[in-house]
Amino acid sequence: MGRTIVAIVAAALALALGALPIVLALVAPGGLGGLAPADPASPSGEAINELYWFVFGICAVVFVAVEAALVLFVLRFRRRPATPVDAEGPQIHGNTRLEIIWTIIPSVILAVIAIVVLVRTPAVHATGGDRSDELVVRVEGHQFYWRYVYPDGQISLDTLVLPVDRAVKLELVSYDVNHSWWVHELTGKQDAIPGQMNELLLRPTKEGTYDGDCAELCGVLHAVMPTTVEVVSQEEYASRVERLSGQDQAGHAQLALGRQSWERTCAKCHGPAGEGDLGPPIAQNGTLVDAEALRTLLDDGLDTPGIEGYMPPVGRGWPAFQIEALIEYVRSNDDLAPPTQDGGGSG
Ligand code: CUA
């Protein structure tokens, strides 16, 4: 009787442990409460989903068959009360037919999986359809933000705007360490690494806002390096990008770029008002409005041995007009602007 209780407790524990990954998956992002990939919003996403469910289906059948056989054998061949504990079971010396069967079946299953995956995988990395009007956007990974550069030089940080139903090529690069761009609904992840350009091809097919992450541990603020992709109609895309700051925009647009640069780059470490957070306070620091000093700091970062505090080269690759925009924003912000000779920021 005691043994039965032990067996039941052991079985319950095993079940609980087995269920743990499923419970953990339920709190992860994705479809079906984390058990499945996200709902696809592009042909790449659809291909990922198809492959996932294909492999999942085969695994589910194998899992159920193996577990059912296990339970069946446990019940069928258990020791009966009349049998002595030390009784020997029947001595079996192999079964050639059985061994051939259980070698062939898995081989066939693996071959089928391999063929389907090899045939279908190229669709993950493809736009599907016409690529003649392909939109090329440069995606730069930086510690700790994403910088998007549109074909005419407009810039946005952390949020990427894309037109629906148009082929898109993302050119991924990094200016410091390895990052990985991953917007679950749109496509698979792709690394942004220094010294090499990687490509991601996709075609968003549903308007909407899609959240993504940096999927490569890249430093202390890796967790605050998410990204958002807004897929909008082709007309709205044109007007949205036009309103983004480019080199020749008027002061108003410059200010918008400066604000983005402050909020998405500086403020993540130094606090929204430059009051200091992970990084030291920098509000009203003269370097913020000194183009030359600022350029050097943003290009090189701070990594002086013996001096506490590391700052990544956060503005490496910024054109001069983005630094000017940042300075203009700092000057416009009373919390941030250093006192001038006539006292106070320019308001
Ligand atoms: Cu960039 Cu993690």
Side-chain angles (χ1 to χ4, degrees):
M1 198 59 204
R3 277 198 197 147
T4 316
I5 293 170
V6 170
I8 291 172
V9 170
L13 266 178
L15 261 178
L17 273 179
L20 192 63
I22 298 175
V23 174
L24 289 177
L26 286 173
V27 296
L32 272 188
L35 288 178
D39 280 343
S42 72
S44 323
E46 279 162 25
I48 290 172
N49 269 257
E50 274 172 31
L51 284 171
Y52 175 85
W53 287 116
F54 174 73
V55 175
F56 181 93
I58 290 179
C59 292
V61 169
V62 170
F63 177 80
V64 169
V66 169
E67 295 305 308
L70 188 66
V71 171
L72 188 75
F73 290 177
V74 165
L75 294 176
R76 174 85 180 72
F77 301 105
R78 73 186 189 279
R79 187 180 62 83
R80 311 290 156 152
T83 319
V85 177
D86 56 356
E88 292 275 5
Q91 302 301 297
I92 296 165
H93 297 279
N95 182 324
T96 309
R97 197 172 60 155
L98 203 57
E99 285 168 19
I100 289 176
I101 290 174
W102 77 41
T103 303
I104 287 181
I105 290 179
S107 306
V108 170
I109 291 175
L110 289 179
V112 169
I113 291 179
I115 290 167
V116 171
V117 167
L118 287 174
V119 166
R120 200 63 184 114
T121 299
V124 173
H125 187 66
T127 59
D130 182 24
R131 276 183 72 185
S132 59
D133 66 340
E134 183 175 83
L135 171 70
V136 181
V137 179
R138 184 176 163 88
V139 179
E140 299 175 356
H142 292 262
Q143 287 172 318
F144 295 94
Y145 65 100
W146 295 99
R147 185 170 179 272
Y148 298 104
V149 186
Y150 299 81
D152 290 329
Q154 293 92 343
I155 295 164
S156 67
L157 304 182
D158 284 347
T159 298
L160 170 66
V161 183
L162 290 180
V164 74
D165 291 327
R166 186 168 160 194
V168 175
K169 178 162 87 177
L170 302 179
E171 295 182 339
L172 293 109
V173 295
S174 168
Y175 279 83
D176 36 53
V177 299
N178 294 2
H179 304 271
S180 180
W181 195 86
W182 190 23
V183 177
H184 317 229
E185 279 109 329
L186 292 178
T187 178
K189 64 182 84 157
Q190 180 65 279
D191 284 349
I193 58 182
Q196 179 179 327
M197 193 186 74
N198 287 337
E199 287 181 358
L200 252 186
L201 299 175
L202 66 134
R203 177 189 298 269
T205 46
K206 282 187 212 158
E207 290 182 30
T209 302
Y210 304 102
D211 291 330
D213 299 296
C214 176
E216 179 74 53
L217 185 61
C218 56
V220 64
L221 289 184
H222 161 71
V224 293
M225 206 180 149
T227 188
T228 302
V229 177
E230 290 179 24
V231 176
V232 297
S233 69
Q234 308 232 2
E235 304 75 50
E236 195 186 334
Y237 169 77
S239 76
R240 284 281 295 272
V241 170
E242 202 174 317
R243 276 184 280 133
L244 287 173
S245 304
Q247 189 155 22
D248 299 312
Q249 298 292 318
H252 181 68
Q254 289 253 311
L255 201 60
L257 176 61
R259 175 195 292 275
Q260 270 198 77
S261 303
W262 171 266
E263 288 174 352
R264 309 314 309 175
T265 308
C266 315
K268 282 181 182 172
C269 282
H270 296 283
E275 70 274 36
D277 185 3
L278 185 66
I282 52 169
Q284 305 187 338
N285 187 313
T287 304
L288 287 174
V289 291
D290 178 338
E292 211 168 299
L294 193 57
R295 162 100 275 167
T296 307
L297 179 66
L298 297 185
D299 263 354
D300 300 345
L302 275 181
D303 192 11
T304 318
I307 294 181
E308 201 183 325
Y310 162 76
M311 171 173 163
V314 287
R316 201 172 274 173
W318 285 13
F321 71 85
Q322 190 174 357
I323 292 182
E324 284 163 27
L326 176 58
I327 292 176
E328 194 173 328
Y329 174 71
V330 167
R331 284 213 167 100
S332 78
N333 184 317
D334 288 338
D335 287 337
L336 302 176
T340 53
Q341 273 147 347
D342 45 312
S346 60

